[in-house]
Amino acid sequence: TRSLCDWSSDVCSSDLLRTPLAVLRSEAEVALRSPREPEQYRQVLETMLEEVERLARLADQLLFLSRKDAGLIPRVREPLELQKLAEDVAELMHLVAEAKSVTLRVEHLASCPVRADEDQLRRVLFNLVDNAIKFTPRGGTISVRCEPVGDQFGVIITDTGIGIGSEHLPHIFERFYRVDPSRSSEAGGTGLGLAIGRAIAEAHGGSIRIESTAGVGTAATLLLPPLSPTAASDT
Ligand code: ATP
Ligand code: MG
């Protein structure tokens, strides 16, 4: 894995920071050039707020990654039910899916006790479901399952979305990698979700697996070791 110094140049050379900052500057400059109607100021502020939110999200993700690189993340490790977490996240993301006319359903939740940092796992699952929603066109379906996979426990999120071409699959865990930047920047993505997700999964002794067929759909699986080593095969 690369260090913070290696990838900070990716940030600087990418448009991730420059584009929203340029938008903020030009919006303010244009608005201040001459007196405007209140409605025009409102529009300018709304645009600026959107860009500020994008930057805040990016800053949050970068801070997370830099702490991870420095090995400074305080890690809570508490017993928790993975299926409960999957259910929570699905419930919270339900409205987001609905707003896009995508069906999000929970299919199967077996008891899957793990030892983990709940906030961090939540973050991973949010990104996987967020990805599924973003890259699934209207009318599509996303399903969430939680069950033993081999000797581990898995949360499996499948979608009937646009899929990922095999030439892109090896790269999607790289920081800032997005298959189609024009498309996902509309949805506000920075290409950090899976990099962060993998870091979190690995710190828990687990992994993230993504299988996908372009034009058919994607299955993303978060795998974690069971709380007690024999639990997965017992259930
Ligand atoms: P962020 O998560 O930082 O908001 P993002 O969603 O674009 O941005 P990742 O979650 O790391 O970034 O995903 C990287 C890329 O992998 C996405 O931009 C997209 O091109 C592709 N991808 C991820 N999940 C899916 C999916 N379910 N269907 C199709 N493409 C996907
Ligand atoms: Mg994402």
Side-chain angles (χ1 to χ4, degrees), residues 183-213:
R183 181 190 290 264
S184 37
S185 72
E186 269 167 42
T190 52
L192 281 171
L194 287 176
I196 291 175
R198 169 175 274 181
I200 292 173
E202 287 178 354
H204 282 83
S207 60
I208 295 181
R209 234 188 250 165
I210 299 214
E211 289 159 71
S212 188
T213 308

Side-chain angles (χ1 to χ4, degrees), residues 58-174:
L58 178 63
D60 181 56
Q61 289 175 313
L62 291 175
L63 282 172
F64 184 92
L65 280 170
S66 62
R67 284 197 304 266
K68 156 78 174 58
D69 279 12
L72 292 176
I73 295 183
R75 209 170 282 294
V76 199
R77 291 292 188 104
E78 275 165 355
L80 60 90
E81 295 287 346
L82 191 56
Q83 83 280 9
K84 180 81 184 53
L85 212 58
E87 195 175 18
D88 276 5
V89 171
E91 199 172 302
L92 286 166
M93 293 299 272
H94 197 256
L95 285 178
V96 184
E98 215 165 71
K100 225 197 124 180
S101 301
V102 167
T103 306
L104 173 59
R105 59 166 179 249
V106 173
E107 277 194 338
H108 178 67
L109 297 170
S111 169
C112 294
V114 298
R115 185 180 293 281
D117 181 324
E118 180 168 342
D119 288 342
Q120 289 190 4
L121 285 197
R122 222 174 255 279
R123 191 178 185 120
V124 178
L125 293 176
F126 265 118
N127 177 56
L128 295 180
V129 177
D130 178 59
N131 286 353
I133 296 172
K134 274 196 299 202
F135 301 107
T136 299
R138 300 172 72 83
T141 303
I142 296 162
S143 76
V144 178
R145 303 200 312 273
C146 185
E147 61 197 22
V149 177
D151 57 2
Q152 294 195 301
F153 286 138
V155 180
I156 304 134
I157 295 146
T158 50
D159 67 58
T160 59
I162 60 172
I164 304 164
S166 52
E167 71 276 28
H168 296 290
L169 261 184
H171 302 291
I172 54 171
F173 288 95
E174 291 167 15

Side-chain angles (χ1 to χ4, degrees), residues 29 43 100 228:
E29 280 173 355
Q43 274 172 16
K100 225 197 124 180
S228 65

